[in-house]
Coordinates of all heavy atoms in Angstrom, one line a residue:
M235 N 23.5 -226.7 97.1 CA 22.3 -227.4 97.0 C 21.7 -227.8 98.4 O 22.5 -228.4 99.2 CB 22.6 -228.7 96.2 CG 21.4 -229.5 95.7 SD 21.8 -230.7 94.5 CE 20.3 -231.4 94.2
T236 N 20.5 -227.5 98.5 CA 19.9 -227.9 99.9 C 19.3 -229.3 99.9 O 18.8 -229.8 98.9 CB 18.8 -226.8 100.2 OG1 17.8 -226.9 99.1 CG2 19.4 -225.4 100.3
G237 N 19.3 -229.8 101.0 CA 18.8 -231.1 101.2 C 17.2 -231.1 101.3 O 16.7 -230.0 101.7
E238 N 16.6 -232.2 100.9 CA 15.1 -232.1 101.0 C 14.7 -233.0 102.2 O 15.1 -234.1 102.3 CB 14.6 -232.8 99.6 CG 13.1 -232.8 99.6 CD 12.6 -233.4 98.4 OE1 13.4 -233.7 97.5 OE2 11.4 -233.6 98.2
R239 N 13.8 -232.3 103.0 CA 13.3 -233.1 104.0 C 11.8 -233.4 103.8 O 11.1 -232.6 103.3 CB 13.4 -232.2 105.3 CG 14.7 -232.1 105.9 CD 14.8 -231.4 107.3 NE 13.9 -232.1 108.2 CZ 13.4 -231.5 109.4 NH1 13.7 -230.2 109.6 NH2 12.8 -232.2 110.2
R240 N 11.5 -234.5 104.1 CA 10.1 -235.0 103.9 C 9.6 -235.5 105.2 O 10.3 -236.2 105.9 CB 10.0 -236.1 102.9 CG 10.2 -235.6 101.4 CD 9.8 -236.7 100.5 NE 10.0 -236.2 99.1 CZ 9.7 -237.0 98.1 NH1 9.2 -238.1 98.2 NH2 9.9 -236.5 96.9
R241 N 8.4 -235.3 105.5 CA 7.7 -235.8 106.7 C 6.6 -236.6 106.2 O 5.7 -236.2 105.3 CB 7.2 -234.7 107.6 CG 8.3 -233.8 108.1 CD 7.8 -232.8 109.0 NE 7.5 -233.3 110.2 CZ 6.7 -232.6 111.3 NH1 6.2 -231.5 111.0 NH2 6.5 -233.2 112.4
F242 N 6.5 -237.7 106.9 CA 5.4 -238.6 106.5 C 4.4 -238.8 107.7 O 5.0 -238.8 108.9 CB 5.9 -240.0 106.1 CG 6.6 -240.0 104.8 CD1 8.0 -239.9 104.8 CD2 5.9 -240.0 103.5 CE1 8.7 -239.8 103.6 CE2 6.7 -239.8 102.4 CZ 8.0 -239.8 102.4
R243 N 3.2 -238.9 107.5 CA 2.2 -239.0 108.6 C 1.6 -240.4 108.4 O 1.0 -240.6 107.3 CB 1.3 -237.9 108.6 CG 0.5 -237.8 109.8 CD -0.2 -236.5 110.0 NE -0.6 -236.3 111.4 CZ -1.3 -235.2 111.8 NH1 -1.6 -234.2 110.9 NH2 -1.6 -235.0 113.1
E244 N 1.6 -241.1 109.5 CA 0.8 -242.3 109.6 C -0.6 -242.1 109.6 O -1.1 -241.1 110.3 CB 1.3 -243.2 110.7 CG 2.7 -243.6 110.7 CD 3.0 -244.6 109.6 OE1 2.3 -245.6 109.5 OE2 4.0 -244.4 108.9
H245 N -1.5 -242.9 108.9 CA -2.9 -242.8 109.1 C -3.5 -244.1 109.4 O -2.9 -245.1 109.1 CB -3.5 -242.4 107.8 CG -3.4 -240.9 107.5 ND1 -2.2 -240.3 107.1 CD2 -4.2 -239.8 107.6 CE1 -2.4 -239.1 106.9 NE2 -3.6 -238.7 107.2
V246 N -4.6 -244.2 110.1 CA -5.3 -245.4 110.4 C -6.6 -245.3 109.7 O -7.3 -244.3 109.8 CB -5.5 -245.5 112.0 CG1 -6.4 -246.8 112.3 CG2 -4.2 -245.6 112.7
I247 N -6.9 -246.3 108.9 CA -8.2 -246.4 108.2 C -9.2 -247.1 109.2 O -8.9 -248.2 109.6 CB -8.0 -247.1 106.9 CG1 -6.9 -246.5 106.0 CG2 -9.3 -247.1 106.2 CD1 -7.2 -245.1 105.6
E248 N -10.3 -246.5 109.3 CA -11.3 -247.2 110.2 C -12.7 -246.8 109.8 O -12.9 -245.7 109.1 CB -11.1 -246.7 111.7 CG -11.3 -245.1 111.9 CD -11.1 -244.7 113.3 OE1 -10.3 -245.4 114.0 OE2 -11.7 -243.7 113.7
P249 N -13.7 -247.6 110.2 CA -15.1 -247.2 109.8 C -15.4 -245.8 110.4 O -15.0 -245.5 111.5 CB -15.9 -248.3 110.5 CG -14.9 -249.5 110.6 CD -13.6 -248.8 110.9
D250 N -16.1 -245.0 109.5 CA -16.5 -243.7 110.0 C -17.7 -243.7 110.8 O -18.8 -244.0 110.3 CB -16.6 -242.8 108.7 CG -16.8 -241.3 109.1 OD1 -17.0 -241.0 110.3 OD2 -16.8 -240.5 108.2
E251 N -17.6 -243.6 112.1 CA -18.7 -243.7 113.0 C -19.0 -242.2 113.6 O -19.7 -242.1 114.6 CB -18.5 -244.6 114.1 CG -18.4 -246.1 113.5 CD -18.0 -247.1 114.5 OE1 -17.4 -246.8 115.6 OE2 -18.2 -248.3 114.2
E252 N -18.5 -241.2 112.9 CA -18.8 -239.8 113.4 C -20.2 -239.5 113.0 O -20.8 -240.1 112.2 CB -17.7 -238.8 112.6 CG -16.4 -239.0 112.8 CD -16.0 -238.7 114.3 OE1 -16.5 -237.6 114.8 OE2 -15.3 -239.5 114.9
P253 N -20.8 -238.4 113.8 CA -22.2 -238.1 113.6 C -22.5 -237.6 112.2 O -23.6 -237.8 111.7 CB -22.3 -236.9 114.6 CG -21.3 -237.1 115.7 CD -20.1 -237.8 114.9
D254 N -21.5 -237.1 111.5 CA -21.7 -236.6 110.1 C -21.3 -237.6 109.0 O -21.2 -237.2 107.9 CB -20.9 -235.2 110.0 CG -19.5 -235.4 110.0 OD1 -19.0 -236.5 110.6 OD2 -18.7 -234.4 109.6
A255 N -21.0 -238.8 109.5 CA -20.7 -239.9 108.5 C -21.7 -240.2 107.5 O -22.9 -240.0 107.9 CB -20.2 -241.1 109.2
E256 N -21.5 -240.6 106.4 CA -22.4 -241.1 105.4 C -23.1 -242.3 106.1 O -22.5 -243.0 106.8 CB -21.9 -241.5 104.2 CG -21.2 -240.4 103.3 CD -20.7 -240.8 101.9 OE1 -21.0 -241.9 101.6 OE2 -19.9 -240.1 101.4
A257 N -24.4 -242.5 105.7 CA -25.1 -243.6 106.3 C -24.6 -244.9 105.6 O -24.2 -244.9 104.5 CB -26.6 -243.4 106.0
I258 N -24.7 -246.0 106.4 CA -24.5 -247.3 106.0 C -25.7 -247.8 105.2 O -26.9 -247.6 105.7 CB -24.2 -248.3 107.1 CG1 -23.0 -247.9 107.8 CG2 -24.1 -249.7 106.5 CD1 -22.7 -248.7 109.1
T259 N -25.6 -248.2 103.9 CA -26.7 -248.5 103.1 C -26.6 -250.0 102.6 O -25.6 -250.5 102.5 CB -26.9 -247.6 102.0 OG1 -25.8 -247.5 101.1 CG2 -27.2 -246.2 102.5
F260 N -27.8 -250.5 102.3 CA -27.8 -251.9 101.9 C -28.6 -252.0 100.6 O -29.7 -251.3 100.5 CB -28.6 -252.7 102.9 CG -27.8 -252.7 104.3 CD1 -28.1 -251.6 105.1 CD2 -27.0 -253.7 104.6 CE1 -27.5 -251.6 106.4 CE2 -26.4 -253.7 105.9 CZ -26.5 -252.6 106.8
T261 N -28.2 -252.7 99.6 CA -28.9 -252.9 98.4 C -29.0 -254.3 98.0 O -27.9 -255.0 98.1 CB -28.1 -252.1 97.2 OG1 -27.9 -250.7 97.6 CG2 -28.9 -252.1 96.0
A262 N -30.1 -254.8 97.6 CA -30.2 -256.2 97.1 C -29.9 -256.2 95.6 O -30.2 -255.3 94.9 CB -31.7 -256.7 97.4
Q263 N -29.2 -257.3 95.2 CA -29.0 -257.5 93.8 C -29.2 -258.9 93.4 O -28.8 -259.9 94.2 CB -27.6 -257.1 93.4 CG -27.2 -257.2 91.9 CD -25.8 -256.8 91.6 OE1 -24.9 -257.0 92.4 NE2 -25.7 -256.2 90.4
C264 N -29.7 -259.2 92.3 CA -30.0 -260.6 91.8 C -28.7 -260.9 91.1 O -28.1 -260.2 90.3 CB -31.1 -260.6 90.7 SG -31.3 -262.2 90.0
A265 N -28.1 -262.1 91.6 CA -26.8 -262.5 91.0 C -27.0 -263.2 89.6 O -26.0 -263.4 88.9 CB -26.1 -263.6 91.9
V266 N -28.2 -263.4 89.2 CA -28.5 -264.0 87.8 C -28.6 -262.9 86.8 O -27.9 -263.0 85.8 CB -29.8 -264.9 87.9 CG1 -30.0 -265.5 86.5 CG2 -29.7 -265.9 88.9
C267 N -29.4 -261.9 87.0 CA -29.6 -260.9 86.0 C -28.9 -259.5 86.3 O -29.1 -258.6 85.6 CB -31.1 -260.7 85.7 SG -32.0 -260.0 87.1
E268 N -28.4 -259.4 87.5 CA -27.7 -258.2 87.9 C -28.7 -257.1 88.3 O -28.2 -256.0 88.7 CB -26.7 -257.7 87.0 CG -25.7 -258.8 86.5 CD -24.6 -259.0 87.6 OE1 -24.1 -258.0 88.3 OE2 -24.2 -260.2 87.7
E269 N -30.0 -257.2 88.2 CA -30.9 -256.2 88.6 C -30.7 -255.9 90.1 O -30.6 -256.8 90.9 CB -32.3 -256.7 88.3 CG -33.3 -255.5 88.6 CD -34.8 -255.9 88.1 OE1 -34.9 -256.7 87.2 OE2 -35.7 -255.4 88.7
R270 N -30.9 -254.6 90.4 CA -30.7 -254.1 91.8 C -32.1 -253.6 92.3 O -32.8 -252.9 91.5 CB -29.6 -253.1 91.9 CG -28.2 -253.6 91.7 CD -27.2 -252.4 92.0 NE -25.9 -252.8 91.7 CZ -24.8 -252.2 92.2 NH1 -24.9 -251.1 93.0 NH2 -23.6 -252.7 91.9
G271 N -32.3 -253.9 93.5 CA -33.4 -253.2 94.3 C -33.0 -251.9 94.8 O -31.9 -251.4 94.6
P272 N -33.9 -251.2 95.5 CA -33.7 -249.9 96.0 C -32.6 -249.9 97.1 O -32.6 -251.0 97.8 CB -35.0 -249.5 96.6 CG -35.8 -250.7 96.8 CD -35.3 -251.7 95.8
T273 N -32.0 -248.9 97.3 CA -30.9 -248.7 98.3 C -31.6 -248.2 99.6 O -32.4 -247.2 99.6 CB -29.8 -247.9 97.9 OG1 -29.1 -248.5 96.9 CG2 -28.7 -247.7 99.1
G274 N -31.4 -248.9 100.8 CA -32.0 -248.3 102.0 C -31.2 -248.7 103.2 O -30.0 -249.0 103.1
D275 N -31.8 -248.5 104.4 CA -31.0 -248.7 105.6 C -31.1 -250.1 106.2 O -30.6 -250.3 107.2 CB -31.5 -247.6 106.7 CG -33.0 -248.0 107.0 OD1 -33.5 -249.0 106.6 OD2 -33.6 -247.2 107.8
G276 N -31.5 -250.9 105.4 CA -31.5 -252.4 105.7 C -32.6 -252.9 106.6 O -32.5 -253.9 107.1
G277 N -33.7 -252.1 106.7 CA -34.9 -252.4 107.5 C -35.8 -253.4 106.8 O -37.0 -253.3 106.8
G278 N -35.2 -254.4 106.2 CA -36.1 -255.5 105.7 C -36.4 -255.4 104.2 O -36.8 -256.3 103.6
E279 N -36.0 -254.2 103.5 CA -36.4 -254.1 102.2 C -35.4 -255.0 101.2 O -35.7 -255.2 100.1 CB -36.2 -252.6 101.7 CG -34.8 -252.0 101.7 CD -34.5 -251.4 103.0 OE1 -35.2 -251.6 104.0 OE2 -33.5 -250.7 103.0
V280 N -34.3 -255.4 101.7 CA -33.4 -256.1 101.0 C -33.9 -257.5 100.7 O -34.2 -257.9 99.5 CB -31.9 -256.3 101.7 CG1 -31.1 -257.4 101.0 CG2 -31.2 -255.0 101.7
T281 N -34.4 -258.2 101.7 CA -35.0 -259.5 101.5 C -36.3 -259.4 100.9 O -36.8 -260.3 100.1 CB -35.0 -260.3 102.8 OG1 -35.6 -259.5 103.8 CG2 -33.6 -260.8 103.3
G282 N -37.1 -258.3 101.2 CA -38.4 -258.1 100.6 C -38.3 -257.9 99.1 O -39.0 -258.5 98.3
W283 N -37.3 -257.2 98.6 CA -37.0 -257.1 97.2 C -36.7 -258.4 96.6 O -37.1 -258.8 95.5 CB -36.0 -256.0 96.9 CG -35.8 -255.9 95.4 CD1 -36.5 -255.0 94.6 CD2 -34.8 -256.6 94.6 NE1 -36.0 -255.1 93.3 CE2 -35.0 -256.1 93.3 CE3 -33.9 -257.5 94.8 CZ2 -34.3 -256.6 92.2 CZ3 -33.2 -258.0 93.7 CH2 -33.4 -257.5 92.5
M284 N -35.9 -259.2 97.3 CA -35.4 -260.5 96.7 C -36.6 -261.4 96.6 O -36.8 -262.0 95.5 CB -34.4 -261.2 97.7 CG -33.1 -260.4 97.7 SD -32.0 -261.2 99.0 CE -30.5 -260.2 98.9
A285 N -37.6 -261.4 97.5 CA -38.7 -262.2 97.5 C -39.6 -261.8 96.3 O -40.1 -262.7 95.6 CB -39.5 -262.1 98.8
R286 N -39.8 -260.5 96.1 CA -40.6 -260.1 95.0 C -40.0 -260.3 93.6 O -40.6 -260.7 92.7 CB -40.8 -258.5 95.1 CG -41.8 -258.1 96.3 CD -42.2 -256.7 96.2 NE -41.1 -255.7 96.2 CZ -40.5 -255.3 97.2 NH1 -40.8 -255.7 98.4 NH2 -39.4 -254.5 97.1
H287 N -38.6 -260.2 93.6 CA -37.9 -260.5 92.3 C -38.0 -262.0 92.0 O -38.3 -262.4 90.9 CB -36.4 -260.1 92.5 CG -35.7 -260.2 91.2 ND1 -35.8 -259.2 90.3 CD2 -34.8 -261.1 90.7 CE1 -35.0 -259.5 89.2 NE2 -34.4 -260.7 89.5
L288 N -37.9 -262.9 93.1 CA -38.0 -264.3 92.9 C -39.5 -264.6 92.3 O -39.6 -265.6 91.5 CB -37.7 -265.1 94.2 CG -37.9 -266.6 94.2 CD1 -37.0 -267.2 93.2 CD2 -37.8 -267.1 95.5
K289 N -40.4 -264.0 92.9 CA -41.8 -264.2 92.4 C -42.0 -263.9 90.9 O -42.6 -264.6 90.3 CB -42.8 -263.3 93.2 CG -44.1 -264.0 93.4 CD -44.9 -263.2 94.5 CE -46.3 -263.8 94.6 NZ -47.1 -263.2 95.8
A290 N -41.3 -262.8 90.6 CA -41.4 -262.4 89.1 C -40.5 -263.2 88.2 O -40.8 -263.4 87.0 CB -41.0 -260.9 89.0
H291 N -39.4 -263.7 88.8 CA -38.4 -264.6 88.1 C -38.1 -265.8 88.8 O -37.1 -265.9 89.5 CB -37.2 -263.8 87.8 CG -37.4 -262.4 87.2 ND1 -37.6 -262.2 85.8 CD2 -37.6 -261.2 87.8 CE1 -37.8 -260.9 85.6 NE2 -37.8 -260.3 86.8
P292 N -39.0 -266.9 88.7 CA -38.8 -268.0 89.7 C -37.5 -268.7 89.4 O -37.1 -269.5 90.3 CB -40.0 -268.8 89.2 CG -41.0 -267.9 88.6 CD -40.2 -266.8 88.0
E293 N -36.9 -268.5 88.3 CA -35.6 -269.2 88.0 C -34.4 -268.4 88.6 O -33.2 -268.9 88.5 CB -35.4 -269.5 86.6 CG -35.1 -268.3 85.7 CD -36.4 -267.4 85.3 OE1 -37.4 -267.6 86.0 OE2 -36.2 -266.5 84.5
H294 N -34.6 -267.2 89.2 CA -33.4 -266.5 89.7 C -33.3 -266.8 91.2 O -34.1 -266.2 92.0 CB -33.7 -264.9 89.5 CG -33.6 -264.6 88.0 ND1 -33.7 -263.3 87.6 CD2 -33.6 -265.4 87.0 CE1 -33.7 -263.3 86.3 NE2 -33.6 -264.5 85.9
L295 N -32.3 -267.6 91.5 CA -32.3 -268.1 92.9 C -31.1 -267.7 93.7 O -30.9 -268.0 94.8 CB -32.3 -269.7 92.8 CG -33.5 -270.3 92.2 CD1 -33.3 -271.8 92.0 CD2 -34.7 -270.1 93.0
S296 N -30.2 -266.9 93.0 CA -29.0 -266.4 93.8 C -29.0 -264.9 93.9 O -29.3 -264.2 92.9 CB -27.7 -266.8 93.0 OG -27.7 -268.2 92.9
Y297 N -28.8 -264.4 95.0 CA -28.8 -263.0 95.3 C -27.6 -262.5 96.1 O -26.8 -263.3 96.7 CB -30.1 -262.6 96.2 CG -31.3 -262.9 95.4 CD1 -31.9 -264.2 95.4 CD2 -31.9 -261.9 94.6 CE1 -33.0 -264.5 94.6 CE2 -33.0 -262.2 93.8 CZ -33.6 -263.4 93.8 OH -34.7 -263.7 93.1
R298 N -27.4 -261.2 96.0 CA -26.3 -260.5 96.8 C -26.9 -259.4 97.7 O -27.8 -258.8 97.2 CB -25.3 -259.9 95.9 CG -24.7 -260.8 94.9 CD -23.6 -260.1 94.1 NE -23.1 -261.0 93.0 CZ -23.3 -260.8 91.7 NH1 -24.0 -259.7 91.3 NH2 -22.8 -261.6 90.9
E299 N -26.2 -259.1 98.9 CA -26.5 -258.0 99.6 C -25.3 -257.1 99.4 O -24.2 -257.4 99.8 CB -26.8 -258.2 101.0 CG -27.1 -257.0 101.9 CD -27.3 -257.3 103.3 OE1 -26.5 -258.2 103.9 OE2 -28.2 -256.8 104.0
I300 N -25.5 -255.9 98.8 CA -24.4 -254.9 98.7 C -24.4 -253.9 99.9 O -25.3 -253.2 100.0 CB -24.4 -254.2 97.3 CG1 -24.4 -255.2 96.2 CG2 -23.3 -253.2 97.2 CD1 -24.8 -254.7 94.9
I301 N -23.4 -253.9 100.6 CA -23.3 -253.0 101.8 C -22.3 -251.9 101.5 O -21.2 -252.1 101.1 CB -22.9 -253.7 103.1 CG1 -23.9 -254.9 103.3 CG2 -22.8 -252.8 104.3 CD1 -23.4 -255.8 104.4
T302 N -22.8 -250.6 101.7 CA -21.9 -249.5 101.4 C -21.7 -248.9 102.8 O -22.6 -248.4 103.6 CB -22.6 -248.4 100.6 OG1 -22.9 -249.0 99.4 CG2 -21.7 -247.2 100.3
R303 N -20.4 -248.9 103.3 CA -20.0 -248.5 104.6 C -18.9 -247.4 104.6 O -17.9 -247.7 103.9 CB -19.5 -249.7 105.5 CG -19.2 -249.5 106.9 CD -18.4 -250.6 107.5 NE -19.1 -251.9 107.2 CZ -20.1 -252.4 108.0 NH1 -20.6 -251.7 109.0 NH2 -20.6 -253.5 107.7
P304 N -19.1 -246.2 105.1 CA -18.2 -245.2 105.0 C -16.9 -245.5 105.9 O -17.0 -246.0 107.1 CB -19.0 -244.0 105.6 CG -20.0 -244.5 106.5 CD -20.3 -245.8 105.8
Y305 N -15.8 -245.1 105.4 CA -14.6 -245.2 106.2 C -13.8 -243.9 106.2 O -14.1 -243.0 105.3 CB -13.6 -246.3 105.6 CG -13.9 -247.6 106.0 CD1 -14.9 -248.4 105.5 CD2 -12.9 -248.3 106.9 CE1 -15.3 -249.7 105.9 CE2 -13.3 -249.7 107.2 CZ -14.4 -250.3 106.8 OH -14.7 -251.6 107.2
R306 N -12.9 -243.7 107.1 CA -12.2 -242.5 107.2 C -10.8 -242.7 107.6 O -10.4 -243.7 108.1 CB -12.8 -241.5 108.2 CG -12.7 -242.0 109.7 CD -13.7 -241.2 110.5 NE -13.3 -239.9 110.7 CZ -12.6 -239.4 111.8 NH1 -12.3 -240.1 112.7 NH2 -12.4 -238.1 111.8
A307 N -9.9 -241.9 107.1 CA -8.4 -241.9 107.4 C -8.2 -241.0 108.6 O -8.4 -239.8 108.5 CB -7.6 -241.6 106.2
V308 N -7.7 -241.6 109.7 CA -7.5 -240.8 110.9 C -5.9 -240.5 111.0 O -5.2 -241.4 111.0 CB -7.9 -241.5 112.2 CG1 -7.7 -240.7 113.4 CG2 -9.4 -241.9 112.1
P309 N -5.5 -239.2 110.9 CA -4.2 -238.9 111.0 C -3.5 -239.4 112.4 O -4.2 -239.2 113.4 CB -4.1 -237.3 111.0 CG -5.4 -236.9 110.5 CD -6.4 -238.0 110.9
G310 N -2.3 -239.9 112.3 CA -1.6 -240.3 113.4 C -0.3 -239.6 113.6 O -0.2 -238.4 113.2
A311 N 0.7 -240.3 114.0 CA 2.0 -239.6 114.4 C 2.8 -239.2 113.1 O 2.7 -239.9 112.0 CB 2.8 -240.6 115.2
W312 N 3.5 -238.2 113.1 CA 4.4 -237.8 112.1 C 5.7 -238.7 112.2 O 6.1 -239.0 113.3 CB 4.9 -236.3 112.2 CG 3.8 -235.4 111.9 CD1 3.0 -234.8 112.8 CD2 3.4 -235.0 110.6 NE1 2.1 -233.9 112.1 CE2 2.3 -234.1 110.7 CE3 3.8 -235.3 109.2 CZ2 1.8 -233.5 109.6 CZ3 3.3 -234.7 108.1 CH2 2.2 -233.8 108.3
R313 N 6.2 -239.2 111.1 CA 7.4 -239.9 111.0 C 8.6 -239.1 110.4 O 8.3 -238.3 109.5 CB 7.2 -241.1 110.0 CG 6.2 -242.0 110.6 CD 6.9 -243.1 111.5 NE 5.9 -243.8 112.3 CZ 6.0 -245.1 112.6 NH1 6.9 -245.8 112.2 NH2 5.1 -245.6 113.4
Ligands
LIG484 ZN1 -32.8 -261.6 88.5

């Protein structure tokens, strides 16, 4: 019977800042009715959507900003 050898590799999880990484995106969401605005690069559309939503729904006073940020696992040393 042969022995089994296993090798494990450590990884470091870090934000993916490579040129081909997925874009970081921002989405506004109403915390009262859960409706979401468009997803974009965060250039002001988040608070713009919140202001328009508030105008249409004056009683909706709580909001969220949902940030999607890509991460990657970077291989490290073998153990
Ligand atoms: Zn709402």
Side-chain angles (χ1 to χ4, degrees):
M235 191 169 179
T236 58
E238 184 182 353
R239 284 185 63 196
R240 287 189 181 183
R241 299 179 77 195
F242 295 99
R243 195 166 195 179
E244 298 289 310
H245 284 74
V246 175
I247 307 294
E248 63 181 26
D250 190 350
E251 295 172 341
E252 297 293 316
D254 63 345
E256 292 180 18
I258 299 173
T259 59
F260 302 83
T261 306
Q263 183 177 35
C264 176
V266 177
C267 71
E268 306 285 323
E269 185 176 332
R270 291 187 182 197
T273 296
D275 63 5
E279 70 270 13
V280 168
T281 51
W283 182 86
M284 291 173 183
R286 290 192 301 279
H287 190 79
L288 176 62
K289 205 167 185 176
H291 308 276
E293 72 282 12
H294 294 188
L295 299 174
S296 297
Y297 294 88
R298 305 183 185 110
E299 179 183 44
I300 301 166
I301 302 172
T302 302
R303 184 188 312 276
Y305 276 73
R306 63 197 295 263
V308 180
W312 289 98
R313 294 269 167 144

